[in-house]
Amino acid sequence: MSLSCFVLYLLFQTHDNHFTGEKSVPTPLSCTSVLQTWTKDTGDSLQGIRPEPIDQLVVRKPKADKVPSVQLKADLHTSGLGEHKVTFSGNDSDPMVITNKLMEVFPKLQEGGGFEFLKIAGSTRSRNLALLQCPSTGYTLAYLKDPASMIGQATIFIRPLQQDLPFDCESSSSASGPVIPCITCQKEVPFSEMKLHRLSCNGTPMQESEKEQEGGQSDSETVSDSVPVRPGTSAESAEVPAVMVNEELDSKEADSEWKLIEEPSQAAKVFKENLLKEHASGTPLRMKMDVRDSEEDRERELLLFYKQQQEWACPLHCTLVGDAAVGEGVMRYFLTTVISKLQFGFSLDLGGMGRTLLFEGEPDHLVPAASEALIESNLFRVAGRMLAHSFLHDGPHVTGLSPAVIHVLFNGDPEMATVVTEDCPDLHIRSIIKLLEQEELTPEQKDTVSDLSMSWDLPAVTKTNRRWLHNKLLLHAVIGRTMRQIKQLRKGLKDVMVWPLLTSRPDVVPLIFPKMAEMQFTPQMLLQKITWPVEDSDDEDFDLESTCRVTGFLRLFIETASSGTLAQLLTFWVGWEMLPPKLRVEISGGTLPTSSTCFETLKLPAHFKTYMDFEEALVSAINSAQTGFGLV
């Protein structure tokens, strides 16, 4: 017998003296385990700290990332695969010390084509497993003992790398109990193996076969799910449980299908479809906005909506009061507005700075704003909900977040985050930190650096700690000052229930947090920022007909342009691919469109009579922007 998609795991325990190579007396585990035994002739044990109680230790599929079921633990027990305590002795840097010992304790592991280590991701009650990346030298005792590996008291699992391992449950001498017949296929199965048999049994119930022989009702005449089953009817009581088991298995297979899809975007699509389908019968979320209100009032409506405790995967109904628009376009408008506010800031003055920016810094190095008012208002949890909700409904995304922030957001070790100088949004602090990159510091510079470091409980600068202090200051400026904001963002993502996808499939993370170069602009994002010419403006004296004609050409161009073309237009208009609070349009003389990037103004000549001529001229101007044409 072979277990399809089988994965093997070992339980590691680690004390301060773990992996020292010394023989030690095994300590009984305080967890419900697959196999609470060890090799008695050698006293093999893997010494360490007692883990938290764990109910499940083995999973069934090669790509599975969940701890196993209780039934599978017993099956591994009977097959000789399960939990062992193992003590290693030998060179800490030799990977064969671990390999040879594991092959000795688990001979069947030799048939797996290698192995890899995993540990529980998140809390000790989590069912998710995360892979421990194998270093170039292979798994060694030094790697397992290294604090940077973040193993600590974690439970460590081992699974074969290339193929399933033999799973000889029936031949095991551990099988116990009498032989009993299966009520579905009537096959006689040992008592201890019946549950596993039921998971794969697809035979015909005996009662159904008897009915067919006696000319009873046909297969198509089944009991309706909506009709109560009478306890006294043996045929019904035999059929219904079998149907329920199959439905449960199909549901589980459908729920985990996204884990096995190689393409990240397709995996995300299947996950989101399953999540929305699961909550399709829930209470709809109703988002309403009045276009006649001020921008600040509309922003308050959005914030109020996302501050509520709701089941965020339920159907979303959007209403635009004061506008005749209906259907999917209204939802797209809402989601675009939400992400635009996160990306470019709210008009509301929530932090005493005029506008409210939740993310600040350079493109592709944005970090959460270090504002105590925003943290106390729990606005970053709101931001997490907005991000995940737009992702769930295939809306736009916030782009350009710092890779270091994304690393920590998804439970990465802050000390292992790759932080660069550009990640520090405070230019004053950045200039002080950059002083430490110089070979020599003047006394005044040393005082400046020391004042900053001591304000963050770090030592003053010396000749020997300059490089170390540079890294510590930079880490604190980027990560240390934003940890509370990151935790709130994480809670917001979990509220919308997309967290299992993002943690189980790291390759999906770039889809929800793309880089600035991957920014997907929409026509609505640009159109809602534009200030159009008015009759009493200071533009040159052009008639109203020409003004309306040319501005209409621009609107049509924006509405029909691709995201890439819109990004090029924005770069030509303001100098980079970031939307400012306002985009201005002026009617002017000249032959081709030009722009004043400092004033975020696009100047359109009034002489165009047809859209074709206008489009050709604007595309030429946009394509010439890289050489400086049209930029003032």
Side-chain angles (χ1 to χ4, degrees):
M1 177 180 177
S2 174
L3 174 62
S4 175
C5 301
F6 164 72
V7 183
L8 166 70
Y9 300 92
L10 285 178
L11 173 64
F12 283 29
Q13 291 184 301
T14 53
H15 283 306
D16 290 341
N17 61 341
H18 61 327
F19 306 117
T20 58
E22 301 176 0
K23 293 287 182 179
S24 59
V25 179
T27 304
L29 300 178
S30 62
C31 63
T32 303
S33 58
V34 176
L35 181 58
Q36 292 185 343
T37 60
W38 44 86
T39 309
K40 296 181 180 179
D41 55 346
T42 61
D44 290 340
S45 67
L46 186 56
Q47 185 66 21
I49 295 175
R50 185 184 304 273
E52 295 294 327
I54 301 171
D55 293 330
Q56 302 170 348
L57 295 177
V58 183
V59 296
R60 303 182 62 182
K61 299 183 179 181
K63 294 184 179 181
D65 53 4
K66 301 285 186 182
V67 293
S69 66
V70 176
Q71 176 62 40
L72 195 50
K73 291 193 287 184
D75 295 335
L76 288 172
H77 183 130
T78 60
S79 187
L81 300 168
E83 178 185 330
H84 273 256
K85 292 188 175 183
V86 182
T87 295
F88 297 104
S89 61
N91 189 341
D92 279 8
S93 59
D94 184 1
M96 295 308 297
V97 171
I98 290 181
T99 302
N100 292 338
K101 193 62 176 181
L102 293 181
M103 298 306 170
E104 175 187 340
V105 177
F106 294 91
K108 292 182 181 180
L109 191 57
Q110 299 177 23
E111 303 178 33
F115 59 87
E116 53 189 357
F117 289 167
L118 303 93
K119 69 174 183 177
I120 293 176
S123 66
T124 55
R125 294 186 178 183
S126 173
R127 291 179 54 85
N128 298 321
L129 295 175
L131 178 66
L132 292 175
Q133 296 294 337
C134 183
S136 58
T137 58
Y139 292 115
T140 63
L141 301 181
Y143 171 79
L144 297 177
K145 292 189 292 184
D146 189 352
S149 299
M150 296 186 65
I151 294 177
Q153 302 182 26
T155 301
I156 304 301
F157 301 80
I158 301 177
R159 70 183 178 194
L161 185 61
Q162 299 188 44
Q163 65 179 7
D164 301 344
L165 300 184
F167 190 64
D168 305 324
C169 189
E170 293 183 353
S171 61
S172 174
S173 60
S174 300
S176 60
V179 175
I180 57 177
C182 172
I183 63 174
T184 303
C185 66
Q186 297 305 304
K187 179 181 178 181
E188 294 188 345
V189 181
F191 178 84
S192 61
E193 300 171 14
M194 179 55 72
K195 288 187 177 180
L196 180 62
H197 169 77
R198 291 291 296 170
L199 292 176
S200 59
C201 178
N202 58 359
T204 304
M206 179 183 67
Q207 292 86 345
E208 189 174 318
S209 300
E210 291 175 350
K211 287 180 182 180
E212 292 175 357
Q213 294 174 1
E214 297 172 1
Q217 72 182 73
S218 64
D219 292 340
S220 61
E221 297 176 27
T222 57
V223 179
S224 171
D225 292 341
S226 61
V227 178
V229 178
R230 291 180 286 116
T233 307
S234 61
E236 292 174 346
S237 61
E239 281 185 300
V240 175
V243 174
M244 291 175 65
V245 170
N246 290 336
E247 288 176 349
E248 290 172 0
L249 290 176
D250 292 342
S251 177
K252 291 179 180 178
E253 289 297 326
D255 290 343
S256 60
E257 178 186 356
W258 55 271
K259 297 181 182 179
L260 305 179
I261 300 175
E262 293 185 4
E263 177 61 33
S265 59
Q266 185 63 24
K269 178 181 178 181
V270 172
F271 174 88
K272 291 186 288 186
E273 288 176 350
N274 291 344
L275 184 59
L276 292 171
K277 182 179 179 181
E278 181 182 350
H279 293 80
S281 60
T283 303
L285 306 179
R286 302 192 181 278
M287 182 187 293
K288 184 172 66 173
M289 181 189 298
D290 193 332
V291 296
R292 297 165 296 188
D293 290 340
S294 65
E295 185 176 3
E296 290 80 2
D297 289 337
R298 295 197 299 270
E299 291 175 350
R300 288 189 181 92
E301 288 293 330
L302 291 176
L303 293 174
L304 179 61
F305 176 79
Y306 281 102
K307 277 199 171 187
Q308 300 176 43
Q309 292 292 339
Q310 307 186 73
E311 290 189 26
W312 295 100
C314 290
L316 177 61
H317 294 171
C318 300
T319 303
L320 204 57
V321 180
D323 194 290
V326 294
E328 292 294 323
V330 178
M331 181 191 295
R332 288 195 294 268
Y333 173 82
F334 271 92
L335 295 179
T336 299
T337 302
V338 165
I339 297 303
S340 178
K341 298 300 180 182
L342 289 180
Q343 185 84 56
F344 308 113
F346 291 82
S347 298
L348 289 171
D349 185 6
L350 301 177
M353 301 297 292
R355 288 181 61 85
T356 300
L357 281 173
L358 269 68
F359 301 96
E360 55 187 10
E362 299 182 11
D364 288 331
H365 300 281
L366 297 176
V367 301
S371 169
E372 195 67 28
L374 302 183
I375 298 172
E376 294 298 327
S377 299
N378 218 25
L379 279 188
F380 289 99
R381 184 168 185 173
V382 170
R385 290 173 177 174
M386 290 177 169
L387 288 167
H389 204 219
S390 181
F391 174 70
L392 184 61
H393 291 282
D394 299 321
H397 314 291
V398 168
T399 62
L401 258 65
S402 163
V405 172
I406 296 175
H407 168 81
V408 178
L409 177 61
F410 293 99
N411 296 321
D413 183 4
E415 295 291 336
M416 302 297 292
T418 303
V419 184
V420 296
T421 307
E422 291 77 8
D423 289 332
C424 181
D426 191 314
L427 297 181
H428 176 64
I429 293 176
R430 184 194 298 188
S431 64
I432 296 176
I433 294 175
K434 292 186 71 172
L435 292 175
L436 293 170
E437 299 175 3
Q438 302 177 13
E439 292 295 332
E440 295 292 338
L441 298 179
T442 64
E444 292 79 9
Q445 291 174 336
K446 288 182 179 179
D447 291 341
T448 301
V449 172
S450 297
D451 289 343
L452 177 63
S453 62
M454 287 188 288
S455 68
W456 290 347
D457 297 326
L458 293 170
V461 61
T462 65
K463 290 183 178 180
T464 57
N465 74 351
R466 187 160 47 88
R467 191 68 223 172
W468 173 87
L469 188 61
H470 174 278
N471 295 336
K472 285 294 183 181
L473 287 174
L474 190 56
L475 182 64
H476 182 78
V478 177
I479 302 299
R481 302 175 73 202
T482 61
M483 279 303 299
R484 289 186 293 167
Q485 298 92 308
I486 292 174
K487 289 180 180 179
Q488 287 188 14
L489 283 171
R490 188 183 300 139
K491 289 180 180 178
L493 296 176
K494 292 180 179 180
D495 289 341
V496 188
M497 293 176 283
V498 298
W499 189 252
L501 170 68
L502 301 175
T503 52
S504 300
R505 293 293 301 264
D507 53 352
V508 174
V509 172
L511 300 181
I512 188 173
F513 294 111
K515 293 184 178 180
M516 184 64 68
E518 303 167 1
M519 175 66 173
Q520 297 297 309
F521 289 99
T522 64
Q524 183 63 37
M525 294 174 68
L526 269 69
L527 291 174
Q528 68 180 1
K529 297 287 185 180
I530 295 177
T531 301
W532 299 97
V534 294
E535 291 187 42
D536 58 348
S537 66
D538 294 331
D539 293 355
E540 297 181 34
D541 188 17
F542 295 104
D543 61 274
L544 183 61
E545 180 181 354
S546 298
T547 301
C548 292
R549 182 177 63 252
V550 174
T551 54
F553 290 162
L554 177 61
R555 177 180 287 274
L556 179 60
F557 180 87
I558 293 174
E559 290 176 341
T560 57
S562 65
S563 178
T565 302
L566 292 177
Q568 292 177 332
L569 173 62
L570 187 61
T571 302
F572 173 78
W573 199 327
V574 300
W576 61 357
E577 293 181 10
M578 288 188 68
L579 275 170
K582 296 291 183 182
L583 292 170
R584 297 174 178 82
V585 175
E586 291 182 2
I587 305 300
S588 65
T591 305
L592 293 174
T594 59
S595 65
S596 177
T597 57
C598 292
F599 298 99
E600 300 160 348
T601 301
L602 178 65
K603 299 181 178 181
L604 302 175
H607 66 79
F608 296 108
K609 302 298 182 181
T610 66
Y611 174 75
M612 185 177 297
D613 292 337
F614 174 86
E615 181 184 28
E616 181 179 358
L618 184 57
V619 170
S620 298
I622 291 173
N623 292 335
S624 303
Q626 57 185 356
T627 61
F629 177 86
L631 298 180
V632 181

